[in-house]
């Protein structure tokens, strides 16, 4: 449980940031780009809160990138309309429009995640020595 706490805290904090971005009027940059970068971190923290020590961190980050791309391409196929989702909140969560820039934001979010993993693992290995 101790290993999960930082990921649970990160998930809750980043989810709160995402909700604030969605509710409040922020600049186009924050709403359109930064939110998409942060969602990758949210998903990584969510995954790690369930399995903090299992699996290769880099593979998990890559898997989240692939998942993000799949969701974005499902938006291009209008998955919310196909599923008949009418609830406004669910439509926001699922997404209703495809944008190539979102794919680049997911890549940027994954790059930051990979950098964080690299730094954390190097700090941890130095600490053990």
């Amino acid at each position: 449980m101790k290993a999960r706490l930082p990921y649970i805290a990160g998930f809750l904090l980043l989810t709160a940031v995402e909700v604030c971005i969605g509710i409040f009027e922020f600049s186009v940059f924050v709403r359109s780009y930064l939110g998409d970068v942060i969602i990758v971190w949210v998903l990584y923290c969510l995954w790690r809160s369930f399995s903090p020590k299992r699996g290769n961190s880099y593979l998990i980050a890559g898997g989240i990138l692939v998942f993000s791309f799949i969701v974005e391409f499902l938006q291009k196929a209008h998955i919310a309309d196909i599923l008949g989702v009418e609830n406004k909140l669910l439509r926001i969560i699922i997404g209703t429009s495809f944008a190539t820039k979102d794919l680049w934001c997911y890549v940027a979010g994954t790059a930051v995640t990979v950098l964080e993993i690299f730094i954390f693992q190097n700090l941890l290995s130095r600490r053990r020595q």
Side-chain angles (χ1 to χ4, degrees), residues 59-71:
L59 288 177
I60 292 168
I64 289 169
L65 177 62
V66 170
F67 173 78
S68 300
F69 271 48
I70 290 169
V71 169

Side-chain angles (χ1 to χ4, degrees), residues 45-59:
C45 286
L46 177 63
W47 183 273
R48 281 303 195 184
S49 68
F50 288 105
S51 61
K53 294 184 179 184
R54 280 194 238 145
N56 182 307
S57 298
Y58 296 109
L59 288 177

Side-chain angles (χ1 to χ4, degrees), residues 6-55:
Y7 295 111
I8 293 169
F11 170 74
L12 293 174
L13 177 68
L14 292 169
T15 300
V17 169
E18 284 286 340
V19 169
C20 287
I21 289 172
I23 291 174
F24 301 110
E25 295 295 321
F26 284 96
S27 68
V28 173
F29 175 78
V30 172
R31 178 98 167 132
S32 300
Y33 300 101
L34 192 56
D36 289 337
V37 171
I38 293 172
I39 197 65
V40 173
W41 306 340
V42 170
L43 293 173
Y44 182 81
C45 286
L46 177 63
W47 183 273
R48 281 303 195 184
S49 68
F50 288 105
S51 61
K53 294 184 179 184
R54 280 194 238 145

